[in-house]
Amino acid sequence: MTKAPFVATAGATAALGTALGSLALQLRADGYEQYVESVANFSVVMYVTSALILVTWFRDARSRSN
């Protein structure tokens, strides 16, 4: 598999995680505590998803090099 789709998808997913983390901080500052946990959890899920995409890419690259 080529590098571009993996890198673009992982980057976009990490950017979404960053945006959601920022939103969680803003919600906390504005007093919307009931939404902070859900948004923060989704932010963490986006970072984990991004990391798993990169792991998939590395494993695919290793399997093709053998």
Side-chain angles (χ1 to χ4, degrees):
M1 291 186 193
T2 61
K3 182 178 177 180
F6 283 104
V7 174
T9 305
T13 308
L16 179 59
T18 302
L20 288 169
S22 176
L23 176 62
L25 292 174
Q26 187 63 42
L27 287 172
R28 179 166 295 187
D30 291 342
Y32 292 103
E33 289 291 328
Q34 67 268 27
Y35 302 113
V36 171
E37 184 178 356
S38 297
V39 174
N41 285 339
F42 195 61
S43 174
V44 170
V45 167
M46 290 298 101
Y47 282 122
V48 169
T49 302
S50 178
L52 289 174
I53 291 169
L54 291 176
V55 166
T56 302
W57 174 55
F58 285 125
R59 290 189 64 165
D60 179 64
R62 281 185 55 189
S63 69
R64 290 181 187 273
S65 67
N66 291 335

